Amino acid sequence: MGVATLLNLEDLNVHYGAIWALKGVNLTVGEGEIVSLIGANGAGKSTTLRAISGVVKASSGGISFQGEDITKVPAHDIVKKGIAQVPEGRRVFANLSVLENLELGAYIRRDTRGIKRDLDDVLDRFPRLKERIGQVAGTLSGGEQQMLAIGRALMTRPKLMLLDEPSMGLAPLLVKEIFSIIREINEEGTTILLVEQNARMALQVASRAYVLETGRIVLDGLAKELAMNEDVKKAYLGG
């Protein structure tokens, strides 16, 4: 492939009690790529991201990042290694201001100058957040909260960003805007693993994609080829 592997999941299994949520998942993300993970609700997409970020534990199999085994590394240490997750449903701190939310994104960092520079960059990228810098996050619109969640993740200076359903609950115009932001972030050097129900958008923005069904990867390949695949069209692209 010619691209250095940043993230590698090997035969990953996750159980929630008696429920076998991920069944032998193999997946790689190369440096600089956008890789999409598509599938129906309950297929295990969010579980995959949570396992990578250390929020749920793997029952067996391995996760490596930049060649290092991170399968048993606690979630807060995974952030320090350069993996940031933008969770499903945004999960901004509703009672804190926009600025406080962004500052919390940088809690593991000590480079005051760099933090200030990144904060300026985030506010330049999201002018609406700049306008609402002192506003309580809970009063922002859904789209603004999504921008804040992405901005907060950017404040960790991630090498890999895990995006969980960024378009959920947003109006079509805002979805377009969020996806062009995702593209920009990637072009500036952040690798992205994207979980998204809007399969059409997910396949447009990604270079490669995986299809997950009931905890198993059933298809993978170049995003544009999967977008032409009859089974994928039927199941996820409405025809």
Side-chain angles (χ1 to χ4, degrees):
M1 217 166 75
V3 177
T5 300
L6 192 63
L7 176 77
N8 188 38
L9 310 190
E10 206 168 322
D11 196 21
L12 188 69
N13 290 278
V14 171
H15 290 80
Y16 292 121
I19 297 162
W20 191 5
L22 292 185
K23 304 165 182 169
V25 168
N26 292 298
L27 176 152
T28 62
V29 180
E31 216 163 292
E33 282 193 302
I34 297 180
V35 173
S36 286
L37 188 54
I38 62 172
N41 250 340
K45 302 185 304 295
S46 292
T47 300
T48 305
L49 294 193
R50 288 197 199 104
I52 296 163
S53 58
V55 179
V56 302
K57 288 293 161 229
S59 323
S60 64
I63 304 167
S64 64
F65 180 63
Q66 294 186 304
E68 179 193 348
D69 183 355
I70 59 164
T71 319
K72 293 187 164 61
V73 173
H76 59 274
D77 287 330
I78 283 179
V79 177
K80 289 178 188 162
K81 289 182 187 302
I83 299 179
Q85 182 162 359
V86 179
E88 184 184 347
R90 307 181 259 284
R91 309 235 184 104
V92 298
F93 297 101
N95 53 351
L96 298 181
S97 72
V98 167
L99 178 61
E100 289 166 330
N101 267 273
L102 291 172
E103 286 174 342
L104 270 172
Y107 79 97
I108 56 167
R109 294 172 57 185
R110 296 289 169 266
D111 55 324
T112 318
R113 265 208 192 121
I115 292 171
K116 171 80 178 78
R117 196 169 49 240
D118 288 348
L119 183 61
D120 290 344
D121 286 349
V122 166
L123 295 175
D124 286 344
R125 185 186 299 283
F126 300 110
R128 263 178 279 183
L129 296 184
K130 199 177 203 166
E131 287 162 21
R132 293 161 176 69
I133 191 80
Q135 201 171 312
V136 173
T139 62
L140 299 176
S141 72
E144 288 159 357
Q145 287 191 17
Q146 186 62 65
M147 289 172 193
L148 180 55
I150 293 172
R152 184 178 63 191
L154 284 171
M155 290 300 295
T156 70
R157 273 263 171 99
K159 297 183 183 92
L160 172 67
M161 190 183 279
L162 309 174
L163 278 164
D164 197 352
E165 302 286 7
S167 79
M168 190 187 268
L170 300 185
L173 265 178
L174 267 174
V175 172
K176 273 208 171 86
E177 191 178 339
I178 291 292
F179 271 87
S180 79
I181 287 162
I182 291 168
R183 214 177 247 126
E184 275 170 30
I185 290 168
N186 174 250
E187 280 163 4
E188 286 163 22
T190 305
T191 304
I192 292 172
L193 177 57
L194 169 70
V195 155
E196 181 52 74
Q197 279 240 278
N198 184 334
R200 193 177 303 275
M201 291 295 276
L203 293 174
Q204 273 173 21
V205 78
S207 51
R208 290 187 307 112
Y210 292 83
V211 179
L212 198 60
E213 278 178 17
T214 57
R216 290 182 205 282
I217 301 279
V218 292
L219 271 176
D220 69 280
L222 294 174
K224 52 176 177 287
E225 286 172 8
L226 288 181
M228 305 306 290
N229 178 298
E230 288 308 318
D231 294 337
V232 172
K233 275 186 183 168
K234 264 202 214 69
Y236 306 110
L237 304 175

